[in-house]
């Protein structure tokens, strides 16, 4: 990040034309977009906080662990998997907790690490991207992103088993 | 779409709150969540200002155009409309580069700029067009060179070798992105198919 900013600094310092005007134009547009996101984020984050507090995640983990066990996904990582699509902070918290409980170099810890790096907060990203321009129908975005995420989970565990054990 | 997500979350939390006896926690989570939304917006506000400004400078100075030209042989096929019209194509390149370099925080502002410009060429503004879907899906399965965040967390958790997961991460990442591209390519095929059918009807 500092590298990119230094590059921009060089452009501002040594460029032939004054570019700071462009920076201000861009920043103003960014400001506008960000302000319009608050209503969406408000609903989304309230919903996610409520769901996290309600104990639904623990309950669903228990329910789903036999199914995921069948395809080779360790059951310890389920609470992390269930929060991953919705919230960056909640899934980071459960990732850290998981590493502390089972160890960063255990099978479950390694699987979770690979998933942590290769997946992202899908529901959050799609909602924010689309609502920022007033799109109401996301069409196939959720099914495709879910399929990719499931593939990512399955393949990470499969590869970790091959790679480390 | 968001209404359904929000509705599901609310009903589920009430249900599980009653079942698990955590109704007071759920009630407490509501004001906390609302406050957190403001917090996130404030963080995003600063980031959006900074990176949108940076993007504008880089784009005016012609740096983004150079990156865009390098990616063109590949991205031309994934985002044909954005490439042809030029609207949003540079921002798409910036988004993907930011993800690749592990500057995920900068990727969101870039992607939002791209969405805005692509929306200008969206024939049905209420629903996402194929390229908008593709960009969103690619952002959820992004290719990352160095996941600095993950390495820091692993080291903090006392890993013997935090870097041991790097190669599996790359392999998984490449496969996930390929799978995402494979699935979104069906969207383009279907679009082309419906175009030819529509033009046949016209004849």
């Amino acid at each position: 990040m500092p590298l990119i900013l230094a590059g921009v600094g060089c452009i501002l310092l040594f460029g032939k034309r004054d570019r700071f005007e462009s920076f201000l134009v861009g920043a103003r547009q960014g400001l506008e977009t960000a302000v319009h996101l608050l209503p969406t984020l408000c609903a989304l984050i309230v919903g996610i906080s409520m769901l996290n507090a309600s104990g639904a995640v623990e309950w669903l983990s228990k329910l789903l662990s036999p199914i995921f066990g069948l395809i080779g996904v360790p059951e310890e990582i389920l609470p992390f998997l269930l929060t991953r699509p919705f919230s960056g902070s909640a899934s980071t918290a459960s990732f850290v907790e998981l590493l502390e409980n089972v160890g960063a170099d255990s099978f479950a810890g390694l699987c979770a690490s690979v998933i942590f790096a290769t997946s992202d907060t899908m529901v959050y990203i799609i909602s924010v991207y689309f609502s920022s321009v007033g799109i109401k129908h996301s069409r196939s975005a959720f099914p495709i992103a879910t399929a990719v995420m499931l593939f990512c989970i399955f393949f990470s565990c499969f590869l970790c088993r091959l790679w480390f054990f | 779409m968001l209404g359904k997500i929000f509705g599901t979350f609310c009903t589920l939390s009430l249900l599980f709150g009653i079942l698990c006896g955590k109704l007071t926690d759920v009630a407490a989570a509501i004001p906390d969540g609302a406050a957190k939304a403001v917090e996130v917006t404030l963080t995003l506000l600063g980031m959006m200002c900074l990176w949108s400004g940076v993007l504008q400078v880089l784009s005016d100075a012609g740096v983004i155009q150079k990156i865009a030209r390098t990616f063109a042989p590949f991205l031309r096929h994934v985002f044909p409309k954005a490439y042809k019209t030029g609207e949003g194509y540079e921002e798409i390149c910036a988004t993907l580069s930011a993800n690749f370099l592990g500057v995920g925080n900068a990727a969101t502002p870039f992607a939002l700029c791209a969405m805005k410009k692509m929306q200008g060429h969206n024939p049905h503004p209420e629903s996402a067009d194929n390229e908008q879907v593709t960009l969103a899906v690619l952002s959820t399965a992004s290719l990352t060179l160095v996941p600095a965040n993950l390495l820091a967390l692993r080291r903090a958790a006392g890993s013997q070798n935090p870097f041991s997961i790097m190669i599996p991460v790359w392999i998984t990442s490449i496969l996930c992105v390929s799978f995402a591209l494979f699935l979104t390519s069906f969207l383009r095929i279907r679009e082309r198919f419906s175009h030819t059918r529509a033009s046949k009807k016209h004849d």
Side-chain angles (χ1 to χ4, degrees):
Chain A
M1 252 195 265
L3 207 72
I4 301 173
L5 281 187
V8 172
C10 285
I11 295 175
L12 289 174
L13 272 178
F14 305 116
K16 282 177 203 119
R17 286 216 312 265
D18 186 14
R19 301 273 183 210
F20 197 67
E21 202 52 43
S22 349
F23 177 83
L24 293 179
V25 170
R28 218 166 284 140
Q29 283 169 359
L31 186 72
E32 221 168 275
T33 317
V35 168
H36 288 300
L37 282 178
L38 181 60
T40 313
L41 284 175
C42 187
L44 201 64
I45 294 179
V46 166
I48 292 164
S49 315
M50 278 167 73
L51 202 64
N52 275 334
S54 71
V57 173
E58 289 95 7
W59 199 81
L60 279 174
S61 315
K62 248 179 241 158
L63 189 77
L64 290 174
S65 66
I67 305 166
F68 275 86
L70 272 182
I71 56 169
V73 178
E75 57 177 303
E76 296 95 324
I77 68 172
L78 272 171
F80 161 67
L81 289 186
L82 288 174
T83 45
R84 189 63 187 152
F86 303 108
S87 149
S89 54
S91 64
T92 307
S94 64
F95 177 65
V96 170
E97 199 184 295
L98 172 82
L99 288 191
E100 273 164 11
N101 287 340
V102 299
D105 296 315
S106 66
F107 176 56
L110 290 166
C111 290
S113 301
V114 175
I115 296 169
F116 185 83
T118 51
S119 65
D120 215 323
T121 51
M122 158 190 121
V123 173
Y124 175 81
I125 287 184
I126 297 179
S127 314
V128 167
Y129 280 18
F130 287 170
S131 69
S132 75
V133 288
I135 290 172
K136 290 190 183 115
H137 308 289
S138 62
R139 291 184 48 228
S140 46
F142 278 112
I144 293 179
T146 312
V148 173
M149 179 115 188
L150 285 175
F151 172 78
C152 165
I153 292 169
F154 172 71
F155 186 80
S156 306
C157 296
F158 175 72
L159 189 67
C160 280
R161 188 154 289 170
L162 281 184
W163 195 267
F164 295 106
F165 294 96
Chain B
M1 154 191 81
L2 268 173
K4 273 182 200 145
I5 297 177
F6 186 54
T8 319
F9 281 5
C10 291
T11 14
L12 274 182
S13 346
L14 183 70
L15 206 74
F16 280 104
I18 294 170
L19 280 176
C20 306
K22 284 187 173 174
L23 213 52
T24 42
D25 291 347
V26 176
I30 298 171
D32 285 355
K36 216 171 114 197
V38 177
E39 218 173 277
V40 172
T41 312
L42 279 180
T43 326
L44 205 63
L45 213 64
M47 290 305 281
M48 282 293 294
C49 263
L50 176 66
W51 290 106
S52 304
V54 165
L55 186 67
Q56 192 70 44
V57 172
L58 289 178
S59 151
D60 285 355
V63 178
I64 304 278
Q65 284 83 343
K66 263 185 206 132
I67 301 175
R69 225 171 290 143
T70 326
F71 282 143
F74 167 66
L75 286 182
R76 199 169 55 173
H77 301 291
V78 183
F79 299 99
K81 197 165 71 184
Y83 181 78
K84 230 179 273 164
T85 58
E87 288 289 322
Y89 177 66
E90 287 164 16
E91 285 81 0
I92 292 171
C93 292
T95 311
L96 299 179
S97 327
N99 271 327
F100 183 68
L101 294 173
V103 204
N105 287 333
T108 308
F110 294 166
L112 293 180
C113 290
M115 284 289 171
K116 207 185 220 172
K117 293 213 169 149
M118 288 158 103
Q119 185 72 348
H121 288 273
N122 186 351
H124 311 285
E126 294 238 313
S127 62
D129 74 5
N130 287 344
E131 294 180 16
Q132 286 170 322
V133 170
T134 309
L135 181 63
V137 170
L138 278 186
S139 303
T140 67
S142 53
L143 193 58
T144 309
L145 192 62
V146 183
N149 196 0
L150 168 71
L151 294 174
L153 289 175
R154 279 178 63 76
R155 182 168 297 143
S159 166
Q160 295 295 316
N161 183 4
F163 292 92
S164 62
I165 38 88
M166 288 303 288
I167 296 172
V169 163
W170 289 331
I171 299 175
T172 313
S173 203
I174 289 170
L175 274 172
C176 283
V177 171
S178 318
F179 187 54
L181 284 174
F182 172 72
L183 289 180
T184 50
S185 70
F186 282 114
L187 292 175
R188 288 192 293 281
I189 292 170
R190 203 174 58 186
E191 189 180 47
R192 205 170 301 156
F193 185 67
S194 63
H195 268 314
T196 43
R197 229 182 13 192
S199 58
K200 259 182 202 159
K201 239 183 226 165
H202 235 67
D203 294 339

